Amino acid sequence: MDFFKVKEINSRLTTLATLTGEILYLLQGDQRSVLVDTSVGVQGLHKLVSSLTDKPVTVILTHGHVDHAPGAPEFAEVYLNPVDNELYREHCQLDVRKGYLEMGLAPEIALTIEQQLVPPEPDFKFHDLSDGQIFDLGGLHIECYSLPGHTAGTMVLLIPELAVLISGDAANKSTFLFDTFSASVETYRANLVRAQKRLAGRYQHVYITHHVMEVDVNILQNLIDVCDDIMADQADDIPFDFMGNHAFIAKKADNEFNRQDGIEGDIIFSKQRIWNKQLN
């Protein structure tokens, strides 16, 4: 059973979509390649990536969650914001990964994939990924910027030559903002505003890392507006449960998080994590 489905977008960009809905991005410069995220950690990712590029591969993790980081140990050079190291140590464990697979896949498929997981390496040595860091791939650059909220160490990646922002889980159709590793809605809004100002006019496309590749180029502003509604107690407050967490969807949406009003960008939040004072 193939866990990854490969699609070449252009000579610089290839996507690897997973059975569980994540999208990994392989970016190829003239001299080096970068793989963005590694999914839940299914064996064979390194071999697959090596078949798609003949250049040295660096891995950049957008954050440390179960569905993005556990495949790191297959690679020699992996960058992660160190703020998310503790999160990675927790989420690379087999019980967390199996729970995630069993939540999203049919039982027989989940069991098959579980048998292919790379062993957890909670003490894996990452290279530190920092705000403003730039990777030169030769004719293609990746600029990394901090956008905390979904996790404290979440990063977004700008590829100027492609006019693309990979916002990943930092800003997507259903930004999760409800567990102990996430920021308050108040802080997330401030971080969105800061990122919007820093990146203004520098991209024409926004790519995310779940289910669909491209979303509305105005998604940062859309999410700022959702934050405002939550903070003003104007959200729709649709109950939502996920891996033992009870939360609320801010805007009415279908099962694939397409909002009823047609606007892209939603937040799933905890009412105990709206304001900074609630976290103290």
Side-chain angles (χ1 to χ4, degrees):
M1 179 181 300
D2 292 331
F3 186 73
F4 299 99
K5 182 178 181 180
V6 176
K7 181 178 181 181
E8 182 178 314
I9 305 303
N10 54 52
S11 62
R12 296 293 201 185
L13 175 63
T14 299
T15 61
L16 291 77
T18 74
L19 282 179
T20 42
E22 299 85 40
I23 302 174
L24 317 184
Y25 294 94
L26 178 63
L27 293 150
Q28 301 195 56
D30 298 329
Q31 299 170 352
R32 300 189 62 84
S33 295
V34 158
L35 175 67
V36 179
D37 287 342
T38 60
S39 186
V40 73
V42 174
Q43 295 177 19
L45 178 58
H46 182 276
K47 182 178 179 180
L48 174 59
V49 171
S50 296
S51 74
L52 300 173
T53 179
D54 59 358
K55 303 173 182 69
V57 176
T58 296
V59 173
I60 299 176
L61 299 177
T62 58
H63 61 294
H65 269 153
V66 58
D67 48 339
H68 294 263
E74 282 203 322
F75 297 86
E77 186 179 7
V78 185
Y79 285 79
L80 174 68
N81 187 328
V83 179
D84 268 9
N85 283 349
E86 179 185 351
L87 171 59
Y88 166 79
R89 284 191 288 271
E90 178 179 315
H91 278 218
C92 76
Q93 300 298 333
L94 286 177
D95 60 337
V96 178
R97 293 152 69 190
K98 289 179 179 180
Y100 177 76
L101 291 170
E102 290 165 6
M103 178 192 64
L105 299 174
E108 64 276 9
I109 297 176
L111 180 59
T112 299
I113 301 302
E114 287 171 12
Q115 294 169 347
Q116 302 174 36
L117 293 176
V118 299
E121 289 193 31
D123 297 320
F124 183 81
K125 301 301 182 184
F126 294 103
H127 296 275
D128 288 351
L129 184 62
S130 59
D131 182 50
Q133 189 166 355
I134 299 175
F135 293 81
D136 184 352
L137 309 186
L140 198 71
H141 296 79
I142 300 177
E143 302 178 12
C144 305
Y145 297 98
S146 177
L147 205 175
H150 180 60
T151 73
T154 298
M155 307 289 284
V156 298
L157 312 180
L158 178 73
I159 303 96
E161 291 87 354
L162 303 181
V164 163
L165 178 69
I166 299 179
S167 68
D169 283 3
N172 66 24
K173 291 172 65 176
S174 56
T175 304
F176 282 21
L177 209 69
F178 52 76
D179 68 19
T180 56
F181 289 100
S182 66
S184 68
V185 174
E186 180 183 6
T187 291
Y188 180 52
R189 185 193 188 281
N191 293 336
L192 285 168
V193 170
R194 178 172 179 264
Q196 186 181 54
K197 290 178 179 178
R198 296 177 78 185
L199 298 167
R202 302 198 61 203
Y203 58 90
Q204 298 173 7
H205 306 276
V206 177
Y207 297 164
I208 60 174
T209 46
H210 285 280
H211 303 296
V212 300
M213 184 171 103
E214 188 163 5
V215 292
D216 184 359
V217 70
N218 298 308
I219 195 163
L220 296 185
Q221 182 59 53
N222 295 348
L223 288 168
I224 291 169
D225 295 340
V226 176
C227 288
D228 288 338
D229 284 346
I230 294 171
M231 295 163 68
D233 198 22
Q234 297 296 315
D236 295 327
D237 292 355
I238 309 301
F240 180 82
D241 293 299
F242 181 84
M243 295 185 74
N245 293 284
H246 180 64
F248 295 88
I249 304 173
K251 298 293 180 179
K252 292 179 181 177
D254 63 20
N255 290 336
E256 296 181 352
F257 300 108
N258 298 302
R259 282 172 51 174
Q260 288 187 2
D261 59 12
I263 298 172
E264 286 192 311
D266 208 342
I267 295 174
I268 303 177
F269 68 101
S270 165
K271 293 194 176 183
Q272 285 71 49
R273 304 185 71 84
I274 296 176
W275 303 100
N276 290 338
K277 62 184 179 182
Q278 293 176 307
L279 307 184
N280 296 330

